[in-house]
Amino acid sequence: MSTSMPRASLHTLGCRLSQSETSMLADTLARRGYQLVEFGKETDLLVLNTCSVTENAEKDCRYAVRKTLRHSPHAFVAVTGCYAQTGATQLQKVPGIDLIVGTQFKMNLPDYLPAPAKLRKQPEPELRHSRTIDREDFVLPGTAYSDSTRALLKIQDGCDFMCSFCLIPFARGRERSRTAEDVLREARELAAHGYRELVLTGVNIGRYSYQGLGLVELLRELESVPDVTRIRISSIEPTTVPAALLEHMAGSTKLCHYLHLPLQSGDNTILQAMNRRYAVREYEELVEQALALMPDLGLGTDLMVGFPGEDEQAFANTVMTVERLPFSYFHVFSYSSRPGTAAARLEDQISPAVIRQRSKALSELSRTKALAFYQQQIGHTLPVLFEQGERDGFRTGTTANFTRVAVAADAVEAGSIHQVTITGIMDGLAYGRPVATVSAPSHRPLL
Ligand code: SF4
């Protein structure tokens, strides 16, 4: 090692939930004396948090290891995350890996590292892995600081839903919830460090359940933390959103009017084959209920194209459904067969060329919907939480319904909330004029 303080670089290949876990591992390593360095910079330790959802998991992982060893040939490489759980055997063959840690032991990864002075490459990787994963409610060892004014707060893990295309229940195990005390402990710490918005994350957060507390009760507790200004729910399964949650959201001054409800397909036959738990009409009714209570709602969704059996009519049904609903954006995913899932055994796989074409059509539609949503905001005055960093003289931030807004950088500070009148739209951004300060930044340094 070149410095007295060992350097650690952490990199996430997965979703938001994985990002929050990486941040928490970074916090633990920093408290144990590591100096955190950006991924891509010279380091003594690489922690790679992998994903198994895409078919490129192994390739991405190989690339990140190779890239690191090129500039830091002696770096100790530890790999964890979903692919370390589902692809441990394949990872053992990837050159340069020293430690593989499956889901069960992920948050204890720092405990399995050699003492900093003894960090060196191993002849072959040590494996910390179990096929079964705990079902117990859990606490987490640290605080997931981020470099944004928003922080991700993990409240739940695992999923029991078994959608036929999804590997997550195998990679992360069954549903379990983080204890409310520990969620509140981290929320207070994040607020004390100046984070203004907490984004609740998990695999299936609508299933949060801890000693009689559901998601709505947990939200009430979080909203009572004095310095927490805003709370946002990340992706939530449509069948786990009760009327009580919508009513609570509509009446809350802290919970953002924003829902990301994965639809996946607008065709009932495909939804059934995906083992999704709703029909299109039920999904639409949920959206109607939400909009009746919150006309300003920001509504996002995930769509999957090319699921086996998705014929022209099924795809047309998806297009019609998403055209009908007032989405402010959608994420489009191309189906790829994941070995071990029920869908991998289905016939009628769709050709990659058709998948590409459908994906392109939906992505274009998403841009059109986003533009329509942004246009509706023109003339409105909305509170905007501003981010760090500026570009071309502008600072950007987000409204509660997740409209991205840019204003002249010298008019606002990072971490502040201002009322902004939206005056126009350009290149996927709303532009506006600050008219009043709602709250100044806390001036506690963000990490
Ligand atoms: S709800 Fe379905 S898609 Fe989401 S994590 Fe669970 S099994 Fe996967």
Side-chain angles (χ1 to χ4, degrees), residues 159 161-163 165-166 168-169 203-204 237 276:
C159 185
F161 278 18
M162 302 303 283
C163 298
F165 55 81
C166 184
I168 291 176
V203 176
N204 197 341
E237 279 298 303
R276 302 289 289 167

Side-chain angles (χ1 to χ4, degrees), residues 82-371:
C82 292
Y83 193 56
Q85 182 65 26
T86 59
T89 318
Q90 292 90 316
L91 279 178
Q92 281 176 292
K93 295 179 204 136
V94 174
I97 297 179
D98 303 294
L99 173 66
I100 299 168
V101 182
T103 299
Q104 174 69 36
F105 311 105
K106 183 184 340 181
M107 299 318 292
N108 303 107
L109 184 148
D111 298 339
Y112 307 131
L113 297 171
K118 293 188 177 157
L119 268 186
R120 54 185 61 97
K121 307 268 346 132
Q122 303 297 306
E124 55 186 52
E126 182 187 343
L127 186 63
R128 297 277 179 161
H129 185 277
S130 69
R131 277 173 65 86
T132 53
I133 300 165
D134 243 354
R135 294 176 179 212
E136 300 296 307
D137 292 336
F138 59 93
V139 294
L140 291 172
T143 300
Y145 299 113
S146 76
D147 53 7
S148 153
T149 52
R150 286 186 279 156
L152 302 172
L153 179 61
K154 175 175 170 177
I155 63 165
Q156 188 274 344
D157 208 341
C159 185
D160 291 353
F161 278 18
M162 302 303 283
C163 298
S164 63
F165 55 81
C166 184
L167 261 184
I168 291 176
F170 306 102
R172 287 191 172 265
R174 305 297 292 265
E175 288 170 4
R176 54 215 184 271
S177 297
R178 184 174 180 185
T179 71
E181 298 82 17
D182 199 41
V183 173
L184 288 163
R185 189 263 313 154
E186 191 182 356
R188 285 189 206 101
E189 272 168 40
L190 290 166
H193 275 90
Y195 293 90
R196 312 303 304 273
E197 180 176 313
L198 304 181
V199 183
L200 305 194
T201 60
V203 176
N204 197 341
I205 62 174
R207 301 278 289 178
Y208 182 86
S209 170
Y210 173 67
Q211 295 190 345
L213 251 70
L215 183 58
V216 175
E217 291 76 25
L218 181 71
L219 284 164
R220 284 208 181 96
E221 297 275 338
L222 283 167
E223 286 166 42
S224 70
V225 176
D227 286 337
V228 170
T229 316
R230 264 191 192 179
I231 301 171
R232 189 181 297 282
I233 295 178
S234 63
S235 180
I236 183 164
E237 279 298 303
T239 51
T240 66
V241 180
L245 175 56
L246 298 179
E247 282 155 15
H248 178 74
M249 187 179 275
S252 169
T253 52
K254 291 191 176 179
L255 185 58
C256 294
H257 289 188
Y258 165 81
L259 283 169
H260 183 98
L261 302 170
L263 170 65
Q264 306 300 5
S265 169
D267 181 84
N268 284 330
T269 311
I270 295 295
L271 284 176
Q272 218 174 8
M274 287 176 164
N275 204 21
R276 302 289 289 167
R277 300 178 167 207
Y278 50 85
V280 175
R281 187 63 209 131
E282 287 162 315
Y283 183 98
E284 288 176 330
E285 278 168 9
L286 175 64
V287 171
E288 283 159 15
Q289 266 178 43
L291 285 168
L293 290 164
M294 295 168 281
D296 59 337
L297 183 76
L299 178 67
T301 196
D302 295 335
L303 298 171
M304 178 171 279
V305 287
F307 187 82
E310 185 191 60
D311 58 17
E312 290 297 331
Q313 185 56 53
F315 180 65
N317 288 342
T318 296
V319 172
M320 279 189 298
T321 305
V322 297
E323 274 176 340
R324 245 186 344 256
L325 290 169
F327 290 116
S328 40
Y329 67 91
F330 23 94
H331 293 150
V332 183
F333 296 92
S334 297
Y335 170 80
S336 69
S337 172
R338 308 304 296 130
T341 59
R345 296 191 293 274
L346 293 176
E347 289 174 359
D348 270 345
Q349 302 278 331
I350 309 297
S351 81
V354 172
I355 293 180
R356 270 199 302 278
Q357 198 187 358
R358 290 179 183 171
S359 171
K360 191 164 165 250
L362 283 181
S363 299
E364 272 163 24
L365 187 51
S366 175
R367 281 192 284 277
T368 309
K369 304 284 280 190
L371 185 64

